[in-house]
């Protein structure tokens, strides 16, 4: 089969489509013929060698995919050859075929094309496990997502609206803010021209929001804490703005705040399987009802993975970027 290989850590050009060995499935796995895989920001860091590179049997990028089951392991009972699925992967999606534990498969959501289904596993599992399973955002509460136009942000806005929250989103351009509004955000804030803490306070009668989902980290930490309501919850999923911060802890005590973080890929297979089940139960009906839609910015052939990485690194995209073998 063909897969996109990182020939050496570096610029997008190091991504080359090459002939490689097909993956061999284990008893609890299925083999998927990939229809589409989606880019994730971390793929660009792995390509540069700034993050643990994929290893093992399928050392290719790609944390999610959609496709058709081509073979099943002998312990797999819930799925059959020919089923159309999407999946959360450990890696290996930038390929014509990938092996994945059956517990990490989801059916194609109703009303979504086979290709576009590849845009959901990573964002749905990340957002559902953090904002909803852990931070317990509920109807009537207020929610702020930074990077509202990102793959994560475009999903989080829609899902939080569906769950009955009042949604705030930040982004770095007017075009991105307009997209956040179209997806249902109630309040959009251009963080380049506006102080998001002041705007959040103004829009919440001085209280702050109940839950924040943040990918910026250190440079936003004090401002995120200052933007939270009493009993507020901040969930960190990345540290694009740095890892080391000094903050005033007083308000954590007086306003009973929770600061938490997680990376989906470091969760155990058992936890991933539980998240997958919860996503199918809670997110798939929202997609089926047309309330949460795939947001795909651009499709690229697998052979043009380098061009796709360049688009992601330009940060001009809104939503997900897909690669199609
Ligand atoms: N913990 C987890 O399990 C998990 C899972 C999935 C994703 N993530 C993280 O969530 C974030 C969003 O992921 P994604 O795949 O949806 O990314 P994405 O679509 O590439 O969007 C990232 C957005 O971040 C903003 N940005 C770019 N460079 C930045 C910088 N240096 N500092 C701060 N913001 C910057 C840009 O929006 P603006 O132009 O508006 O600034 C960009 O559109 C990433 O950091 C990713 O690593 C974490």
């Amino acid at each position: 089969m063909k897969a996109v290989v990182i020939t050496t850590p570096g610029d997008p050009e190091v991504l080359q489509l090459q002939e490689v060995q097909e993956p061999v499935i284990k008893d609890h796995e299925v083999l998927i013929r990939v229809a589409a895989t989606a880019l994730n920001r971390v793929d660009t860091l792995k390509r540069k060698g700034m993050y643990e590179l994929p290893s093992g049997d399928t050392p290719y990028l790609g944390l999610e995919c959609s496709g058709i089951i081509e073979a099943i392991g002998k312990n797999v009972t819930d799925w059959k050859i020919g089923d159309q699925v999407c999946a959360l992967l450990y890696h290996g999606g930038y390929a014509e075929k990938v092996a994945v534990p059956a517990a990490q498969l989801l059916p194609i959501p109703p009303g979504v094309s086979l290709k576009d289904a590849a845009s959901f596993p990573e964002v749905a599992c990340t957002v559902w496990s953090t904002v909803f399973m852990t931070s317990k955002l509920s109807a009537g509460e207020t929610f702020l997502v930074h990077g509202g136009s990102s793959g994560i942000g475009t999903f989080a806005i829609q899902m939080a609206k569906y769950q009955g929250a009042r949604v705030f989103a930040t982004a770095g351009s007017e075009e991105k803010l307009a997209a956040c509004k179209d997806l249902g955000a109630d309040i959009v804030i251009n963080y380049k021209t506006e102080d998001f803490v002041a705007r959040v306070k103004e829009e919440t009668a001085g209280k702050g929001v109940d839950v924040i989902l943040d990918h910026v980290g250190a440079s936003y930490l004090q401002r995120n804490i200052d933007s939270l309501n009493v009993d507020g919850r901040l969930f960190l999923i990345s540290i694009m703005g740095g890892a080391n911060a000094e903050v005033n802890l007083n308000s954590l005590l007086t306003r009973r705040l929770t600061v938490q973080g997680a990376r989906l890929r470091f969760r155990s297979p058992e936890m991933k399987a539980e998240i997958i089940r919860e996503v199918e139960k809670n997110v798939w009906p929202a997609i089926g009802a047309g309330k949460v839609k795939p947001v795909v910015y651009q499709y690229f052939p697998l052979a043009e993975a380098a061009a796709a990485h360049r688009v992601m690194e330009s940060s001009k995209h809104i939503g997900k970027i897909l690669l199609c073998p």
Side-chain angles (χ1 to χ4, degrees):
M1 69 164 189
K2 289 194 169 65
V4 174
V5 171
I6 303 172
T7 49
T8 181
D11 289 338
E13 290 64 37
V14 304
L15 298 174
Q16 297 286 337
L17 193 64
Q18 292 184 359
E19 201 66 39
V20 299
Q21 289 287 322
E22 273 194 21
V24 178
I25 51 170
K26 302 187 179 77
D27 292 346
H28 67 293
E29 291 181 336
V30 307
L31 184 69
I32 299 177
R33 175 170 282 281
V34 176
T37 186
L39 267 65
N40 283 278
R41 197 82 187 185
V42 75
D43 298 350
T44 63
L45 302 180
K46 290 180 185 168
R47 190 205 72 225
K48 292 186 218 168
M50 291 166 63
Y51 203 86
E52 174 210 348
L53 286 169
S55 59
D57 298 340
T58 49
Y60 321 115
L61 298 172
L63 295 174
E64 57 194 327
C65 77
S66 60
I68 297 174
I69 297 181
E70 202 170 272
I72 57 170
K74 66 176 190 224
N75 294 343
V76 176
T77 51
D78 296 347
W79 302 94
K80 60 182 190 314
I81 292 170
D83 281 349
Q84 300 198 347
V85 292
C86 53
L88 190 65
L89 308 173
Y90 189 59
H91 46 65
Y94 287 30
E96 288 177 327
K97 296 181 188 185
V98 65
V100 56
Q104 288 173 212
L105 295 177
L106 285 154
I108 302 301
V112 175
S113 71
L114 180 60
K115 278 184 183 168
D116 286 358
S119 68
F120 279 124
E122 182 74 17
V123 295
C125 290
T126 300
V127 173
W128 189 260
S129 62
T130 56
V131 175
F132 296 96
M133 288 169 72
T134 304
S135 296
K136 307 221 177 296
L137 178 68
S138 53
E141 287 196 312
T142 42
F143 170 60
L144 166 63
V145 59
H146 291 299
S149 69
S150 66
I152 290 282
T154 51
F155 176 84
I157 290 169
Q158 298 183 81
M159 198 64 216
K161 276 309 285 182
Y162 176 73
Q163 293 291 114
R166 183 167 176 240
V167 177
F168 293 60
T170 66
S173 74
E174 293 306 314
E175 187 198 359
K176 288 181 172 187
L177 293 174
C180 295
K181 266 259 173 217
D182 284 349
L183 291 167
D186 299 286
I187 311 289
V188 294
I189 306 168
N190 186 334
Y191 69 85
K192 291 184 176 161
T193 58
E194 237 186 311
D195 170 5
F196 73 79
V197 184
R199 183 73 190 282
V200 161
K201 290 283 175 65
E202 184 189 315
E203 298 285 351
T204 57
K207 288 182 177 168
V209 291
D210 298 302
V211 175
I212 300 177
L213 182 65
D214 177 50
H215 68 292
V216 180
S219 62
Y220 271 14
L221 187 55
Q222 186 67 59
R223 281 180 280 169
N224 278 333
I225 287 172
D226 293 344
S227 302
L228 281 173
N229 193 3
V230 172
D231 291 317
R233 293 86 77 193
L234 164 62
F235 209 111
L236 295 170
I237 55 166
S238 193
I239 47 174
M240 290 178 90
N244 298 304
E246 190 176 309
V247 292
N248 181 340
L249 295 172
N250 191 41
S251 47
L252 263 70
L253 279 60
T254 53
R255 286 188 285 129
R256 299 185 299 276
L257 306 182
T258 305
V259 178
Q260 203 154 4
R263 279 202 169 106
L264 184 60
R265 66 189 313 272
F266 290 109
R267 294 190 190 258
S268 66
E270 293 73 26
M271 288 172 92
K272 283 183 184 158
E274 188 198 342
I275 292 167
I276 287 278
R277 284 194 300 273
E278 289 293 312
V279 162
E280 186 173 356
K281 194 165 86 188
N282 296 289
V283 177
W284 260 219
I287 301 173
K291 302 293 183 191
V292 174
K293 296 193 169 73
V295 182
V296 179
Y297 182 73
Q298 206 169 344
Y299 304 85
F300 288 88
L302 194 55
E304 292 175 23
H309 272 226
R310 274 193 292 273
V311 171
M312 178 161 269
E313 286 178 311
S314 76
S315 281
K316 66 179 183 192
H317 63 291
I318 291 167
K320 299 285 287 189
I321 299 166
L322 300 191
L323 290 178
C324 306

